[in-house]
Amino acid sequence: MTNESVSSETMTTRTMKGLGASSAGATSGRRGRRPRTGRERRWTRKNTILFIVGVVIALLTIFPLAYMLLSSFKTPADVYGTSVLPKTWTFKNFVYVFTEVPFARYMLNSFLISAIITVVALFFHSMAAYALARLRFKGRETIFLIIFSTLLVSLPVVLIPEFEIVRLLGLLDSYGGLIVPSIFSAFGIFLLRQFYQGLPDELEEAALVDGASYWRIYWSIVLPLSRPIMAALAVFFFLANWNSFVWPLTITSNPNLRVVQVGISTFHQQYASSESYIIAASTVAAIPTLLLFFFFQKQITESIKTSGFK
C-alpha cells in the first residue's frame, strides 16, 4: 500500500468522524430544546397588543348596537337620559310599533322584495359569470370591462334615468318597480367570475368528452360547487335590499308598498318627540340582518378567501 493511499484513507476517516460528531451534536441540540407551548407562542408582546386592540375595536363596534337594544326597553322619559340601562323596563314600545303602526306590513314587503331579488339575481348573475369565465367568444373581455365599469357609477347619478325608465314602463308604485331595477348588479357577476376562474379545467373537459352541453355543465357541476360563494352573495344581496331606502322612497307613494327603512323614516316625522318608538322599530329591523350574519358568517369568510380577495 502506498503513502498516498494511506493518507487518503486517513482523511476519509477523519471526515466521517467529523460528520458523525456534527450530526450527533445537532441531534443532541434538537433533543435538548424544549418545545414551545401554545401559550408561549400566543402571548408574545406583539400578539398581546393586537389582542387588546381587537377587543377595544370589538367593544366600540358592539356598543351602539347594545345601546340601541337597551334603549328600546326604556320609557319615553328615560330615553334621553345618560344611563345605559333602563331605569324602568317596558315592552310598550314594541307593542305600539306592531299595533298602532303597520310595521309588520313594512317588514313583509322588505322580506318579499329582498328574497325575490336575491333568488333571481343569483340565477342570472351565475349564468353571466359562467359565460364570462369559462366560455370563449369574441368580445368577452370587453363585455366584462363594461359590466365592471358600472361599479364606478353611484346610485344618485343614475337615479333620474332609472326613474324615467320605470315611469315609461308603468312600474311606478308597484312591486315590479321595486324588484326589477335592483336585480342586476356588477358586483355579483364579478365575484362569481373570480370564483369560476379558479375551478379546474379538467372537470369541464371530462364533461364535454362525455357529451354534456354547457348548460348541463353549468347546472350539474358548476352550481353545486358554487354553494359557499352563492350563500355569501345571498347574504349580501338580501342585506343590500333589506336596507334599501333611496330607491323605494323615490318610486313609491302608496303606504302599502313601504319597505321597512322607509317606514322607520316616517317615524321621525310622525313621532319626533318619541324616540323610544323609533329605537324599537330600528331594533326589530336589525334582527334579520344579525341572524343572517350569525348563520352565514362561515360562508362569507370562505367566499372572500376563494374569490381572489386574499
Side-chain angles (χ1 to χ4, degrees), residues 18 52 92 102 115-116 133-134 158 163 192 201 205 221 246 255 265 301 308:
I52 295 173
K92 292 183 179 180
I116 294 173
R134 312 299 296 185
V158 297
F163 178 82
L192 286 168
D201 297 334
E205 293 174 357
I221 299 177
V246 176
S265 70
T301 305

Side-chain angles (χ1 to χ4, degrees), residues 190-191 194-195 198 229 302-310:
F190 169 73
L191 202 64
Q194 293 296 106
F195 178 81
I229 193 170
E302 290 296 327
S303 68
I304 294 175
K305 292 193 299 183
T306 58
S307 58
F309 298 101
K310 298 181 180 179

Side-chain angles (χ1 to χ4, degrees), residues 49-299:
I49 295 175
L50 292 176
F51 177 77
I52 295 173
V53 172
V55 170
V56 172
I57 294 175
L59 292 176
L60 292 176
T61 305
I62 296 174
F63 178 75
L65 182 63
Y67 185 79
M68 179 183 68
L69 178 63
L70 294 173
S71 299
S72 63
F73 294 99
K74 293 181 179 180
T75 60
D78 296 337
V79 74
Y80 294 102
T82 57
S83 176
V84 177
L85 295 175
K87 296 179 180 179
T88 303
W89 293 78
T90 179
F91 289 93
K92 292 183 179 180
N93 299 327
F94 297 97
V95 174
Y96 185 90
V97 166
F98 283 101
T99 55
E100 302 297 328
V101 180
F103 197 73
R105 177 62 183 266
Y106 301 160
M107 294 191 67
L108 180 62
N109 288 338
S110 291
F111 179 80
L112 290 177
I113 293 170
S114 301
I116 294 173
I117 291 175
T118 300
V119 173
V120 178
L122 286 178
F123 180 68
F124 285 110
H125 288 194
S126 60
M127 287 195 298
Y130 174 71
L132 292 172
R134 312 299 296 185
L135 303 184
R136 297 180 180 178
F137 55 90
K138 187 177 180 180
R140 183 184 66 172
E141 298 300 326
T142 303
I143 294 174
F144 174 71
L145 288 176
I146 293 174
I147 294 175
F148 183 75
S149 63
T150 59
L151 289 174
L152 305 176
V153 182
S154 60
L155 178 61
V157 176
V158 297
L159 185 63
I160 295 177
E162 284 190 356
F163 178 82
E164 287 296 323
I165 293 173
V166 171
R167 185 183 64 83
L168 292 174
L169 295 175
L171 296 177
L172 292 178
D173 264 342
S174 66
Y175 286 105
L178 292 169
I179 293 173
V180 175
S182 302
I183 290 176
F184 305 99
S185 171
F187 175 73
I189 297 175
F190 169 73
L191 202 64
L192 286 168
R193 178 181 178 271
Q194 293 296 106
F195 178 81
Y196 292 155
Q197 284 184 334
L199 296 178
D201 297 334
E202 290 77 9
L203 294 174
E204 191 172 2
E205 293 174 357
L208 290 173
V209 170
D210 291 338
S213 61
Y214 285 111
W215 171 259
R216 183 69 176 178
I217 295 171
Y218 160 77
W219 187 260
S220 301
I221 299 177
V222 175
L223 279 186
L225 294 175
S226 308
R227 288 177 182 175
I229 193 170
M230 295 279 276
L233 272 178
V235 175
F236 292 147
F237 288 157
F238 188 89
L239 293 180
N241 291 280
W242 178 270
N243 295 321
S244 179
F245 173 75
V246 176
W247 181 249
L249 182 66
T250 303
I251 69 165
T252 58
S253 58
N254 188 354
N256 293 327
L257 294 176
R258 284 177 182 168
V259 296
V260 64
Q261 301 301 330
V262 177
I264 292 175
S265 70
T266 60
F267 275 45
H268 289 277
Q269 302 173 3
Q270 300 176 6
Y271 310 102
S273 59
S274 301
E275 290 288 336
S276 57
Y277 299 149
I278 301 173
I279 296 174
S282 301
T283 303
V284 174
I287 291 176
T289 62
L290 295 177
L291 292 177
L292 281 175
F293 273 115
F294 179 78
F295 286 109
F296 293 97
Q297 56 182 331
K298 182 178 179 181
Q299 285 78 3

